[in-house]
């Protein structure tokens, strides 16, 4: 019985700290995004608080595969620009984060990371027009089909 109680206690504490972590990362100026070896982002939406001057996304790759096999990044752009940016990704190559250097359609593009790695990318919320629809996606060739989500501007 004591062991059961102890286990429940551990679960409770773990759950509690997870909630604190989730709240901090989910609605502040720092957002968490997790990618994996199944070519997926865990989060399908990222909420951007428009009172933040700068938004930072921490991209974590929770898988094990290296960049060459399952490298991911995160790119922020207008929804209407996503397919055009993605179409240029193979030519741009991994050394350019799979985006064409100087591409004005790209609001932010992170480094490309492999399993077990993480990276930050930041952008100014002033670059976003609340009347438009924005997305985040992985620019590795072909990945956007599976790896995309909505960037929601909160008033
Ligand atoms: Cu990817």
């Amino acid at each position: 019985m004591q062991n059961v109680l102890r286990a429940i206690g551990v679960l409770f504490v773990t759950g509690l700290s997870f909630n604190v972590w989730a709240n901090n990362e989910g609605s502040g100026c720092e957002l968490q995004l997790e990618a994996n070896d199944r070519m997926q982002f865990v989060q399908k939406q990222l909420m951007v608080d428009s009172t933040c001057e700068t938004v930072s996304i921490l991209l974590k790759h929770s898988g094990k595969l290296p960049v060459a096999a399952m490298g991911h990044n995160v790119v922020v752009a207008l929804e209407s620009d996503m397919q055009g940016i993605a179409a240029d990704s193979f030519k741009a190559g991994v050394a350019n984060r799979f985006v064409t250097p100087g591409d004005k359609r790209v609001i932010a593009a992170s480094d490309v990371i492999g399993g077990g790695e993480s990276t930050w990318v930041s952008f100014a919320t002033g670059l976003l027009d609340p009347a438009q629809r924005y997305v985040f996606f992985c620019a590795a060739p072909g990945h956007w089909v599976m790896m995309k989500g909505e960037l929601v501007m909160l008033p």
Side-chain angles (χ1 to χ4, degrees), residues 39 70-73 138-140 143 147:
M39 210 186 282
M70 191 54 70
H72 300 306
N73 75 346
C138 174
H143 287 207
M147 301 183 73

Side-chain angles (χ1 to χ4, degrees), residues 4-24:
V4 172
L5 283 178
R6 200 172 293 147
I8 290 171
V10 168
L11 278 177
F12 181 71
V13 169
T14 311
L16 203 67
S17 54
F18 177 77
N19 279 338
V20 169
W21 177 83
N23 287 342
N24 282 347

Side-chain angles (χ1 to χ4, degrees), residues 12 18 27 35 63 70 78 105 132-133 138 148 151 154:
F12 181 71
F18 177 77
S27 61
M70 191 54 70
L78 278 170
R105 298 171 299 181
Q132 302 278 350
R133 287 174 63 88
C138 174
K148 62 186 169 198
L151 195 80
L154 298 176

Side-chain angles (χ1 to χ4, degrees), residues 91-105:
K91 198 175 160 202
V94 65
N96 291 312
R97 306 174 172 205
F98 294 119
V99 295
T100 308
D103 189 336
K104 295 275 192 290
R105 298 171 299 181

Side-chain angles (χ1 to χ4, degrees), residues 29-102:
C29 304
E30 295 185 350
L31 308 170
Q32 294 256 2
L33 180 61
E34 185 184 329
N36 59 37
D37 282 343
R38 297 186 302 280
M39 210 186 282
Q40 290 170 335
F41 283 134
V42 173
Q43 292 80 5
K44 305 300 177 201
Q45 277 191 330
L46 291 178
M47 303 293 181
V48 172
D49 183 341
S50 46
T51 61
C52 302
E53 246 177 68
T54 302
V55 170
S56 300
I57 301 173
L58 174 60
L59 174 66
K60 287 184 178 177
H61 191 323
S62 60
K64 291 192 167 72
L65 296 172
V67 166
M70 191 54 70
H72 300 306
N73 75 346
V74 59
V75 170
V76 175
L78 278 170
E79 185 179 37
S80 54
D81 284 337
M82 174 171 63
Q83 289 197 40
I85 296 168
D88 295 341
S89 66
F90 185 76
K91 198 175 160 202
V94 65
N96 291 312
R97 306 174 172 205
F98 294 119
V99 295
T100 308

Side-chain angles (χ1 to χ4, degrees), residues 135-152:
V135 289
F136 63 90
F137 64 99
C138 174
H143 287 207
W144 69 274
V145 177
M146 300 271 293
M147 301 183 73
K148 62 186 169 198
E150 194 182 355
L151 195 80
V152 181

